[in-house]
Amino acid sequence: MTERRPSSQGDATPLPPLNAEDLAERKMRFLFALRSKGVIEAKVLEAMERVDRGLFVKGLFAERAYEDMPLPIGCGQTISQPSVVGLMTQALELGPRDTVLEIGTGSGYQAAILSQIARRVYTIDRHRRLVRDADALFRALNLTNIVTLAGDGSHGLPDQAPFDRIIVTAAAEDPPGPLLAQLKIGGIMVVPVGQSDTVQSLIRVRKTQSGLDYEELRPVRFVPLVEGTATE
Ligand code: SAH
């Protein structure tokens, strides 16, 4: 079995195809790295085994898709580190009946992972180009339970609210109020929060009958949540 890796350039020197043994070993190393960083839930690992991160990274960086690092995806944005995708998915305590709202589609990789576990995923990005590319990939992969939208996600998606789960994959100064308002009672929101580019914490918010419970999970580093729609 051989594999072709996608290239947005189309003119770059073609990578030699990997044989089945190399592929299996690469997958094993990828999953091992995830486990060693604390991604231990079977359904999350299974989802990450099924969805090929290589498809969500284009051009020069595709070769590094199976390493545990964030990578550039265009529009000055990044695809998150796989272990962070796994840990955020785990922190959501996602079930098969849940409807999830994701702010920050980026490459679409996180949404694709969520789509393997949840009932439906709505994902929004302020860059139309990223949304278009991610949407094409979801169609190609037959991920029919993902709905993509271009726009400013900091206001959420009032038409479809409330949501069982909300995941924000860009850093906000505070958990955005409109998003908290669109979370169901019993719902969970995971959001990186920080005043600067360098110091951010991943926060889990649980909405209960009596209010909001905040829990600090780990230090993270995300691109900022920016208000308004981008020009491309
Ligand atoms: N989840 C992505 C990585 C996201 S990078 C993945 O799996 O690849 C963060 C993304 O958040 C960027 O694509 C950026 O354009 C988007 N973003 C930032 N501010 C936003 C806003 N207000 N509304 C929607 N998307 C936003």
Side-chain angles (χ1 to χ4, degrees):
M1 187 176 70
T2 58
E3 180 192 63
R4 290 217 167 275
R5 281 179 267 177
S7 158
S8 64
Q9 265 79 15
D11 54 1
T13 320
L15 296 164
L18 293 175
N19 65 33
E21 218 166 283
D22 292 339
L23 275 173
E25 189 187 322
R26 190 182 66 188
K27 195 173 247 187
M28 232 171 62
R29 268 190 276 122
F30 181 71
L31 293 170
F32 182 80
L34 291 175
R35 276 198 208 94
S36 71
K37 300 266 175 71
V39 184
I40 49 168
E41 245 185 66
K43 64 184 171 195
V44 178
L45 286 168
E46 279 159 23
M48 296 187 78
E49 189 175 353
R50 275 198 300 273
V51 178
D52 182 357
R53 187 173 185 250
L55 300 174
F56 295 81
V57 183
K58 292 179 196 144
L60 289 176
F61 295 100
E63 236 177 305
R64 318 204 69 171
Y66 309 98
E67 295 173 30
D68 192 25
M69 54 166 68
L71 293 168
I73 54 167
C75 299
Q77 308 303 319
T78 51
I79 178 172
S80 310
Q81 202 176 337
S83 59
V84 172
V85 170
L87 291 169
M88 287 176 84
T89 307
Q90 220 164 248
L92 279 177
E93 298 176 8
L94 211 54
R97 288 211 288 264
D98 288 337
T99 295
V100 189
L101 172 65
E102 179 193 30
I103 311 303
T105 312
S107 67
Y109 180 63
Q110 172 77 74
I113 299 296
L114 297 170
S115 79
Q116 301 295 298
I117 307 172
R119 186 170 66 83
R120 183 172 289 258
V121 180
Y122 292 92
T123 182
I124 310 180
D125 205 289
R126 59 191 292 279
H127 284 281
R128 254 178 295 127
R129 182 149 70 87
L130 295 177
V131 173
R132 207 174 46 227
D133 289 354
D135 193 65
L137 249 178
F138 299 152
R139 281 165 197 271
L141 297 173
N142 204 23
L143 302 178
T144 52
N145 61 341
I146 308 179
V147 179
T148 57
L149 299 114
D152 181 359
S154 49
H155 306 297
L157 194 56
D159 287 356
Q160 305 295 336
F163 298 95
D164 300 293
R165 302 288 186 261
I166 299 178
I167 176 170
V168 187
T169 61
E173 286 197 9
D174 293 297
L179 298 184
L180 289 170
Q182 291 170 33
L183 194 59
K184 275 187 195 165
I185 304 278
I188 296 175
M189 173 158 118
V190 174
V191 52
V193 170
Q195 310 291 327
S196 77
D197 276 2
T198 48
V199 191
Q200 300 164 1
S201 276
L202 187 62
I203 305 288
R204 172 161 56 193
V205 188
R206 290 176 197 272
K207 192 175 206 174
T208 67
Q209 293 285 1
S210 51
L212 298 165
D213 290 340
Y214 292 82
E215 192 183 342
E216 204 172 315
L217 300 180
R218 67 194 305 272
V220 282
R221 201 167 167 183
F222 276 86
V223 295
L225 189 73
V226 178
E227 290 220 0
T229 307
T231 49
E232 61 168 354

